[in-house]
Amino acid sequence: MSKHKLKQLENPTTLSKKDLAADKWVSQSEAARIRGVTPQAIENLMKKGRFRTLSIGGRVLLDRREVENYKAKRTGRPRKRTHSTG
């Protein structure tokens, strides 16, 4: 994990005991495995504030449901339409 500060949620929430269930949170490497990307890609998304994170004892955990349901936003310029000749 890099030493960069992670973007904080705009509305921090209080977590209940139910929210702290062990199977609800995954490590950065496990999140990368679930999404089929590198741990660095997950870290970039964390820096952008795309996932809720929990830091315990120096380890950063991500909400499993958010990782599984994450849909990447299309970025950049839209593609030009091409006319097919047929």
Side-chain angles (χ1 to χ4, degrees), residues 1-2 6 28 46 54-61:
M1 184 75 203
S2 74
L6 298 177
Q28 184 176 336
M46 289 168 37
L54 175 66
S55 183
I56 298 178
R59 296 198 60 193
V60 177
L61 302 174

Side-chain angles (χ1 to χ4, degrees), residues 34-67:
I34 290 169
R35 298 295 310 160
V37 297
T38 65
Q40 291 80 12
I42 296 295
E43 184 173 356
N44 290 336
L45 291 170
M46 289 168 37
K47 287 178 188 175
K48 292 178 183 179
R50 301 288 198 265
F51 297 121
R52 192 166 43 144
T53 59
L54 175 66
S55 183
I56 298 178
R59 296 198 60 193
V60 177
L61 302 174
L62 294 90
D63 185 319
R64 176 185 290 275
R65 188 177 308 139
E66 286 182 9
V67 171

Side-chain angles (χ1 to χ4, degrees), residues 82-86:
T82 58
H83 299 286
S84 60
T85 52

